[in-house]
Every structure is written in C-alpha cells, then in structure tokens.
C-alpha cells in the first residue's frame, strides 16, 4: 500500500486526516468481509454502514491493505461539509497516492466542471487506486453529496471507492444495487461470531475467560465489537471474570455505559483524569494535551494509552497525532459532564488558545463556541475570515457563523460584512444588499477605518450588481480612500470595485489604469481574486484599443496566475478565459477561442455572476458568428439576454451593449438568419452593409474607439466587425484590409 504523501496543497488541509489508523497488534482479521468488499469487475462503490462501534474503520483499513493498491484515505469531520475543504482533502489524498496529479487542488470551488476535471484526471492516469472516505455521516448540507453523486456516477474503472458511514449516503443505492455496482456491509455482517469474539477477548485480556464465558459474553453483546472490547478491558485483573460477565445485560447503550464506567474505574487516577480532560479534543497531540490538562508528560501517557489498546487511534505513522475511538470519546465526554469539580468550558478555552497559536483557526473557533465564549469566537472569526475567503473556503466561514446565534451575527458589523462578502463571492446580489444594510445599521459611530472601508467596498459591489454604476463609483472610491495601504489585500478589492464600475460606465482609460493598479496591489498583497478578475477585463480593454499583443499578454497573465495560485477552477477565472477567447478570435483561431469560451461559460455559471455569464455567452456567440454558425450564435445571445433579465441593471451593462451591437452589426436575428447580408461580390464572401461602412472608416486616421463613437456603438462591437472584415478579406491587419478593399470590386446592386 502506498505511503500517504506529506505534501499538501493548502495549509488548511490536515495531513492527519489523510491515512488510515495504523494496524494494531492483535487485531482480529476479517478475511471473509475483506473478500466481500472486493466485489467483482462491475463493482463501482463499496459502502460499510453501521452504528458506532461495529468496526467499520477497522474493516476498511484491512480491505485497503489487502488490495495492495495505492491508497487515498480521508477521515472526515463536520468541517468537511464545506465542499472546497472536502474536495481539497480528497485531491490531496489522491495526489499522495500518486494519481490524478492533473486534478486542481481547489476543484471544489468549480462545482461540476471541477469534478469533471477530477474524473478525467483519474481516467487519464489509468492507475488503480483505492479511495476511502471514512465517517461520511458527518457531512451536512447538499453540496458535497451532490458532488459525490456526480463522482460515483462517472467513476472510472480504475478507482475503487469505499465509504464508511453510520447512515446510508444519498447515492441512489437501490439502483446501484440492482445494477450490480454496489457492495454493502452492514451491522449484521460486522457482528463477531464466537471464535472471533474469543480471539478479540483473549488479545485484550489473555486467558481471562473460558469457552462458556466467551459464549455468554457473545450473547450479551450480540457480537458487537465495541461491547466485546470494552468488556475485555474490564476483565483485566479481576478475580472472577465469569461472574463479571454474568452481571450485566441489556441493549447496546446500557452495556456500553456500564462497561465504560468499569473501564474508567479501573484506571489509575492520573490516567483517568487525562482521559476525561482530553476527551473534548477531536484530535490529540502531546503539546495540545499538555495545554489542556496543565501537565507536561502527555507524550508518555499517550504512548501508554496506545500500548494498552485503550481506544486510542494513531493518526500518523510518527505517533504525533491521535484521536479517541468515536464511541469511546462520546462516553468520556458524558463522564466529564457529570464529573464534579471539572469545568469543560475552561478546557475548551485552553484548547482554543493553543489551536489559535498553532494556526488552526477552524478548531479554535469551534472550541470557543463550545466554551460558550461567543464574543471571543466572533473576534476570531472577524480576524480569520478574509484569509479563508481569498482561498474560496467560504463554506467554512459560513459554517463558523452558523455556530453563532443569528442575533449575535446581526448585532456585529464585522460578521454582517463577512456574510456580505460571502454573497459577493458566490454572486448572490440579494444577500449582498441584505447584509450590507444589516452592517450599516449596527456600525458604531467610532468604527475603525478598516471596517468603514470594508462597508464602502461592499456597498460598491452591491451597487455594481444593481447596475447603479455612479453610486458604485462613489462607494468604491470611498473604499480606496479609506484603504490607502498598497500592501493591503483590501486595497486591491477597492481598486477592483472602482475599475469594474468604470468599465461598466464605458470609461476605458480610467478603467484600464485602475484595474492595472488592482493587479499590481493584489499580486503584492497575495489576494488572487481581484487579480484574476482585473486581468480578464484589462485584456478586454486592450482588445477594444486594437492592441491584440497587449491583450494576449494580459489574458495569458490571468491564466498563468490562476494556475500558479491553484485557482484555475475558481469562478473568478472566467474573465481570463473569455478574454483569451476574444484574443484568439482576433488572431484568427476560432477553434481555440471556442474552448476558452466554453470554459468561461462553465466557470461563470458556477459563480452565479450574471454579467460574467452573459459576457461569456456573448464571446461564444462571436466565435460562432466567425465560424458561420448563426443558429448557435443566436442561441448564445438569447441565453445571454435571458441571464441579464434576472440581473438588476442588466439592461444597461456592458454585456447588454455588446449584444445590441452584435445584432445591429449583422449578427443573428431571432431566427438565426444573417442581418443586412448583401449578395455575393465577384465570387468572394460579401461584406455586410455595416462592415463596408467600418472598412471605409478604417482607411482614415480614426482609432477603433473613435469609429465606435461615430457609429454610436460600443468599441467591442467595432472590434467584432473588424475581425469579420479581416477574415473575409484574408488579411491580418488594418493596412492589409484597406489595400484589399481598394483591389476589390464594389458589390452588385
């Protein structure tokens, strides 16, 4: 089985989640169940579903080892309900197994298109791999299950997917069962028989029970692995083990409560104290345990607990991190809650302090909330969320805010703005307005400059979404004035807001200068999203100037930046793709342009950015026009118009003006028929009436922007017409077009 890689693509990816628990000496082998999990050639999915304590993780680890395949293992927790975080861990595990190297680390930000990339990367590698997702029942919400359904439905034959869970995942199991694509192992299958129970008990308490007592214990626990193991631990050192076995009865819950109390009662006081106090920790390391318990020998105690097989699961091969078996951890926390003289809240505070110092903000927030320290949690969220947003881990931030009382969020302008910026980044204008208003309503008179700047910028984007570009310019300028530091990530956001407002206001020179500043500041400050968006729009502005060389450089810069920063599947990368599509069109490569236009549409759809979606459709329509595919162009323009109908201010935005210009300049009408198309001229492809007008103006000194102003259309419309003229005349530049026009006979009547 392949070693799990220690190289991770993002600091929030936890290496301790990327591997199975190390095999414990004396572990009872389950060869029959391992063989069953293997299935046959048709098996696409394996599900091990049972309540706590039935040995799901142990079986999956045995199966993974038996396959001999490279292993991609992810031990899930509640925080992995964020799709970006979930898929980041899956991809990191696959990369560690040496497969799907072409899959981007942040594909969770790209939705179905990103998962398509993952499927393709797995299929192209054609290398076998076992992918195990353990504790899948901890996933909440709909986004991760939807992505998993897509993956399971398109899984290449070289991937063996196995899921460990307490509840059946929504993966259309009945249909997969009927098709023979599913292997299931459930609680009834996991029950230990008498020989297996005897082996487990003898390993934990050698020679403690005879055959009759083992059979009695098996009946009491009904073959339940956790009950058997707890009972075996309780037998150690007893003078009459058989009498102890006869002393308890009942269902699993009663058995385990009784046995847990017995196990804890048999521990030395310092070990019992350690177990209870560290039970609040989802993951344990010696330094963290020292911080929580106030002692300095946690490393020794952890080693002793592991050696005694006391439900402690190592999370890495170096024994640096551990966790308690889930069921045993629940029991310890129950005992802690009723223990007198122990304040769990104080333990959580100590853990939060350590985690924050160690850079684990996610764990720190959760410990603070568990401690009841809502104000401290709010302070930490307010400090931490911008960095998570820059990496598109928006679901994690929203998960933190969901832990707080809704009234507490609305009473804090910092948290209202965190919600507002989440809405900006996912393209949800209604929510932006709601949370901007909420932030303004509770903004204190003496608010910090940074907070006022954030509110002004958010207002700028809210007005930009609404199509109110004058107000957007005002608010964006205010934000830039309040955030003058050229090294601040927020400065790049303010410049982007102002540059986009200038772009939509058809102020090209101002927009070009502002967006160039946004790129410089964003790259210097490490804020990738403003850089991606600004570069795409800069390339578009360069094309409008007729500077194809600068436009290509800008589009390539955007695509290169996205790839370098692992953001090539962010919705915000759509701008770079539609800019590159336009560049390729100008260079006479409609085939290459169509690929980038398709990617732009897919990414923009994922982000729900209405104007970006419309712009991507318009570029694709231009590609189809150049290729002579009028029907396809008409469909794209209709789709663009339909998108803009649902966008506030969409009728006046740049994308809408481009649509109008295309239709006016000879683009497709509603039926896909060419408009103003003259008859053939001397056997050559004819120019439309509008193209003949533009060609005549090209013979003069006017720039493309001046020609656009004279014709009362957008520069991009003229740009499209000029590309069509070059193609029809078989030339590549303005001088060639004028010369060819002088040699060409006039069109017929």
């Amino acid at each position: 089985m392949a070693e799990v890689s220690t190289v991770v693509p993002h600091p929030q990816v936890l290496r301790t989640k990327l591997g199975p628990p190390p095999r414990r000496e004396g572990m009872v082998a389950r060869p029959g169940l391992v063989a069953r999990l293997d299935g046959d050639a048709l098996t696409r999915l394996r599900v091990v579903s049972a309540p706590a304590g039935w040995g799901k993780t142990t079986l999956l680890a045995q199966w993974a080892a038996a396959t001999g395949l490279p292993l991609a293992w992810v031990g899930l927790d509640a925080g992995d309900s964020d799709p970006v975080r979930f898929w980041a861990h899956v991809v990191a595990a696959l990369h560690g197994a040496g497969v799907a190297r072409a899959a981007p680390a942040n594909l969770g930000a790209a939705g179905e298109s990103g998962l398509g990339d993952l499927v393709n990367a797995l299929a192209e590698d054609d290398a076998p791999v076992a992918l195990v997702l353990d504790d899948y029942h901890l996933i909440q919400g709909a986004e991760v299950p939807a992505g998993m359904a897509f993956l399971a439905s398109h899984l290449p034959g070289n991937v063996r997917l196995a899921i460990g869970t307490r509840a059946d995942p929504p993966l259309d199991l009945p249909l997969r069962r009927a098709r023979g694509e599913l292997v299931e192992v459930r609680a009834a299958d996991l029950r230990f028989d008498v020989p297996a129970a005897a082996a487990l008990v003898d390993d934990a308490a050698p020679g403690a029970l005879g055959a009759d007592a083992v059979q009695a214990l098996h009946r009491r626990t009904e073959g339940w692995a956790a009950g058997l193991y707890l009972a075996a631990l309780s037998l150690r050192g007893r003078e009459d083990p058989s009498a102890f076995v006869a002393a308890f009865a009942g269902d699993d819950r009663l058995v385990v409560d009784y046995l847990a109390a017995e196990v804890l009662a048999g521990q030395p006081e310092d070990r019992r104290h350690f177990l209870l106090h560290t039970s609040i920790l989802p993951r344990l390391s010696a330094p963290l345990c020292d911080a929580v318990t106030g002692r300095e020998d946690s490393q020794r105690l952890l080693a002793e607990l592991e050696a005694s097989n006391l439900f402690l699961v190592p999370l890495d091969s170096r024994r640096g991190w551990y966790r308690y078996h889930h069921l045993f951890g629940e029991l310890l926390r129950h005992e802690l809650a009723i223990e007198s003289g122990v304040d769990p809240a104080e333990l959580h505070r100590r853990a939060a302090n350590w985690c924050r110092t160690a850079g684990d903000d996610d764990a720190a927030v959760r410990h603070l909330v568990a401690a009841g320290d809502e104000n401290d949690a709010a302070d930490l969220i307010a400090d931490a969320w911008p960095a998570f947003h820059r990496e598109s881990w928006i679901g994690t931030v929203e998960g933190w805010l969901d832990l707080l009382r809704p009234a507490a969020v609305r009473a804090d302008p910092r948290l209202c703005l965190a919600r507002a910026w989440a809405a900006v980044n996912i393209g949800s204008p209604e929510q932006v307005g709601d949370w901007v208003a909420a932030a303004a309503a509770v903004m204190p008179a003496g608010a910090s400059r940074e907070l006022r700047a954030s509110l002004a910028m958010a207002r700028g984007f809210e007005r930009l979404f609404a199509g109110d570009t004058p107000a957007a310019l005002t608010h964006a300028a205010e934000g830039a004035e309040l955030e003058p530091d050229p090294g601040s990530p927020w400065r790049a956001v303010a410049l982007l807001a102002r540059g986009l407002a200038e772009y939509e206001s058809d102020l090209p020179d101002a927009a070009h200068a502002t967006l160039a500043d946004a790129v410089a500041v964003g790259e210097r400050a490490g804020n990738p999203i403003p850089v991606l968006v600004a570069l795409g729009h800069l390339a578009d502005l360069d094309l409008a100037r007729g500077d194809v060389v600068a436009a290509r450089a800008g589009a390539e810069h955007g695509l290169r930046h996205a790839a370098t920063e692992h953001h090539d599947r962010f919705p915000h990368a759509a701008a770079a793709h539609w800019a590159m599509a336009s560049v390729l069109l100008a260079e006479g490569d409609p085939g290459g342009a169509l690929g980038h236009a398709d990617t732009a549409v897919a990414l923009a759809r994922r982000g729900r950015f209405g104007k970006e979606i419309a712009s991507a459709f318009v570029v694709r329509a231009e590609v189809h026009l150049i290729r002579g595919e009028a029907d396809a162009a008409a469909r794209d323009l209709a789709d663009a118009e339909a998108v803009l109908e649902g966008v506030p201010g969409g009728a006046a935005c740049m994308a809408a003006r481009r649509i109008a210009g295309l239709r006016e300049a000879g683009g497709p009408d509603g039926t896909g028929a060419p408009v103003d198309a003259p008859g053939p001229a001397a056997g050559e492809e004819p120019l439309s009436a509008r193209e003949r007008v533009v060609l005549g103006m090209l013979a003069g000194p006017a720039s493309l922007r001046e020609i656009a102003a004279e014709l009362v259309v957008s520069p991009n419309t003229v740009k499209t017409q000029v590309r069509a003229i070059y193609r029809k005349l078989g030339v590549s530049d303005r001088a060639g077009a004028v010369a060819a026009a002088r040699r060409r006979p006039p069109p017929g009547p």
Side-chain angles (χ1 to χ4, degrees), residues 434-739:
D434 178 35
W435 286 108
V436 164
V442 295
M443 186 72 70
S448 68
R449 175 181 56 80
E450 292 82 0
L451 200 57
R452 288 182 287 123
S454 181
L455 177 60
M457 295 174 212
R459 276 177 165 158
F461 276 99
E462 187 271 328
R463 289 291 82 202
L464 191 62
F465 286 152
D468 184 358
T469 51
L473 278 169
T474 299
H475 292 304
E478 179 189 358
E481 184 178 348
L482 287 168
E483 188 57 84
D485 180 5
S488 166
W490 282 109
R491 173 73 178 174
V493 176
L495 291 169
L496 177 67
R498 190 173 75 188
L500 292 179
E502 291 165 343
Y503 175 89
E504 290 291 343
S505 300
D506 206 10
L507 300 171
D509 294 336
H512 198 284
T514 304
L515 292 172
D517 284 347
V519 171
V521 172
E523 289 193 321
R524 187 163 53 243
N527 194 355
I529 292 175
V531 175
L532 283 173
V533 178
L535 282 169
H537 287 79
L538 276 171
D540 191 60
L541 289 167
D542 284 327
L543 274 179
R545 292 175 168 179
D547 191 343
V548 179
V549 174
R552 168 173 275 280
E556 288 178 340
H557 186 175
L559 296 174
R560 187 169 57 251
H561 180 85
T564 302
E565 297 289 333
H566 304 296
H567 299 143
D568 46 336
R569 304 309 298 174
F570 273 23
H572 308 85
H577 281 281
W578 57 252
M580 180 55 76
S582 296
V583 168
L584 290 170
L585 268 183
E587 294 176 343
D589 182 7
L594 185 59
H596 282 284
D598 287 340
T599 300
V601 170
L603 291 177
R605 277 187 181 279
R606 170 61 180 166
R608 295 183 293 183
F609 304 129
K611 294 173 185 176
E612 295 284 337
I613 297 170
S615 293
F617 273 126
V618 171
V619 173
R620 197 163 70 178
E622 292 179 343
V623 175
H624 287 306
L625 280 175
I626 296 298
R627 290 161 60 103
E629 299 162 352
D631 289 345
R635 287 193 296 271
D636 280 336
L637 290 183
D639 286 343
E641 289 169 326
V643 169
L644 291 178
E645 285 180 4
V647 176
C653 72
M654 183 67 76
R657 295 199 292 275
R658 289 180 175 181
I659 295 169
L662 277 174
R663 293 200 182 281
E664 177 188 356
D669 63 13
T671 65
V675 177
D676 295 332
E684 297 178 328
E685 187 175 1
L687 300 178
S688 70
R690 175 64 68 162
E691 287 167 351
R692 292 198 300 273
V693 171
V694 172
L695 180 56
M697 299 179 76
L698 288 177
S703 68
L704 293 185
R705 181 163 296 281
E706 290 168 338
I707 292 173
E710 178 69 21
L711 296 176
V712 196
V713 297
S714 77
N716 289 291
T717 297
V718 172
K719 173 189 67 179
T720 301
Q721 295 162 347
V722 169
R723 287 200 300 265
I725 292 169
Y726 289 174
R727 178 180 61 81
K728 292 179 180 181
L729 297 181
V731 299
S732 60
D733 57 25
R734 184 169 180 166
V738 172

Side-chain angles (χ1 to χ4, degrees), residues 318-338:
R318 294 186 296 273
R319 283 1 189 224
W321 286 91
Y322 299 83
R323 68 167 172 84
Y324 289 119
H325 183 283
H326 295 310
L327 181 63
F328 192 58
E330 291 171 8
L331 297 168
L332 291 174
R333 288 188 290 276
H334 173 73
E335 292 293 321
L336 177 66
I338 61 177

Side-chain angles (χ1 to χ4, degrees), residues 126-167:
D126 198 29
V129 63
L131 172 59
V132 179
L133 305 177
D134 197 22
D135 292 326
Y136 189 81
H137 56 275
L138 296 173
I139 299 298
Q140 303 294 317
E143 287 196 75
V144 169
M148 279 298 300
F150 179 90
L151 177 64
S153 296
H154 299 84
L155 205 63
N158 55 309
V159 182
R160 302 186 188 183
L161 173 62
I163 294 175
T165 180
R166 295 185 190 178

Side-chain angles (χ1 to χ4, degrees), residues 94-315:
L94 290 167
H95 287 179
V99 298
R101 291 290 189 180
N106 63 323
L107 59 81
E112 193 167 294
S113 66
L115 295 179
D117 287 347
L118 174 59
V119 170
N120 290 337
L122 288 167
E124 288 167 7
D125 275 358
D126 198 29
V129 63
L131 172 59
V132 179
L133 305 177
D134 197 22
D135 292 326
Y136 189 81
H137 56 275
L138 296 173
I139 299 298
Q140 303 294 317
E143 287 196 75
V144 169
M148 279 298 300
F150 179 90
L151 177 64
S153 296
H154 299 84
L155 205 63
N158 55 309
V159 182
R160 302 186 188 183
L161 173 62
I163 294 175
T165 180
R166 295 185 190 178
D168 284 357
L171 294 176
D172 205 0
L173 298 187
L175 178 61
R176 299 182 190 281
R177 190 180 299 122
R179 291 176 174 174
E181 299 174 353
L182 172 67
V183 170
E184 299 169 275
V185 174
R186 299 190 173 274
D189 307 306
L190 289 163
R191 293 185 191 279
F192 277 52
D193 58 17
V194 173
L200 186 151
V201 171
D202 194 58
D203 174 63
L209 292 182
D212 291 344
V214 168
Q215 289 195 355
L217 180 60
H218 182 266
R219 285 195 302 273
R220 299 292 192 195
T221 60
E222 297 183 357
W224 180 38
L228 285 165
Y229 195 69
L230 281 167
L233 293 177
S234 301
L235 293 173
R236 294 177 178 175
R238 291 188 178 271
E239 294 182 0
D240 190 352
S242 297
F244 170 75
V245 170
F248 66 86
D251 62 17
D252 288 351
R253 185 76 256 175
L254 294 176
V255 169
V256 79
D257 285 349
Y258 178 76
L259 292 176
E262 290 290 326
V263 169
L264 285 175
Q267 300 301 316
E269 185 58 30
D270 70 329
R271 183 182 291 185
R272 183 177 184 278
H273 180 277
F274 181 86
L275 288 168
L276 292 179
H277 284 64
T278 57
S279 66
I280 66 157
L281 301 171
R283 300 184 307 130
L284 301 84
S285 70
L288 175 54
C289 291
D290 283 344
V292 169
T293 62
R295 55 196 306 153
E296 298 178 351
D297 60 347
S298 295
Q299 188 66 61
R300 174 184 63 81
L301 276 172
L302 287 169
E304 290 178 1
L305 290 172
E306 183 186 1
S308 65
N309 293 328
L310 200 63
F311 279 87
L312 190 69
V313 180
L315 294 177

